[in-house]
Amino acid sequence: VQLQACGGGLVQPGGSLRLSCAASGRIFSIGAMAWYRQAPGKQRELVATITSGGTTDYEDSVKGRFTASRDDAKKQAYLQMSSLKPEDTAVYFCNGKILTVDNIWRDYWGQGTLVTVSS
């Protein structure tokens, strides 16, 4: 099982980006998904979560600007980021709790995608 995150890039302040996280492999079911970020010199922090039922929760600094969603048929999760600020600059990671075909829940991480917000 792998998680592949993509969609990062350079964007000006106030701009938008959509990150995607694709799950592949011997997957039976996908549980909660989450997005984390790690800025240079800082610890990794939780940005957003989305349950298997679609309930979302956000870190305070991104509320109203970021939206997490998922498409289980495509085995993908998304993070729509709007009104981006320089302080949103970080490597963004997706995380997923996945039930594999051998009936074991495991925690998986994507490789990270860099978001740079700068003029």
Side-chain angles (χ1 to χ4, degrees):
V1 174
Q2 287 188 329
L3 293 181
Q4 181 80 23
C6 65
L10 174 63
V11 62
Q12 292 187 341
S16 298
L17 279 176
R18 188 175 87 149
L19 306 183
S20 299
C21 177
S24 62
R26 304 179 70 207
I27 297 169
F28 185 77
S29 180
I30 300 176
M33 300 288 293
W35 290 92
Y36 290 75
R37 67 185 179 187
Q38 187 166 18
K42 295 188 177 181
Q43 289 188 330
R44 189 174 298 189
E45 65 173 353
L46 179 61
V47 175
T49 60
I50 180 165
T51 68
S52 57
T55 301
T56 55
D57 195 16
Y58 302 94
E59 191 268 329
D60 285 346
S61 70
V62 307
K63 283 180 180 177
R65 301 188 298 121
F66 289 13
T67 302
S69 61
R70 59 193 289 160
D71 184 336
D72 287 345
K74 295 182 178 179
K75 295 187 178 64
Q76 296 219 15
Y78 309 97
L79 185 67
Q80 177 67 48
M81 306 185 294
S82 303
S83 302
L84 283 161
K85 305 175 181 180
E87 51 264 43
D88 294 319
T89 295
V91 177
Y92 285 71
F93 300 87
C94 61
N95 168 271
K97 302 194 186 308
I98 295 175
L99 180 64
T100 56
V101 296
D102 55 359
N103 206 34
I104 298 174
W105 284 98
R106 293 186 177 96
D107 213 38
Y108 292 89
W109 289 88
Q111 83 288 4
T113 184
L114 176 62
V115 173
T116 303
V117 185
S118 175
S119 55

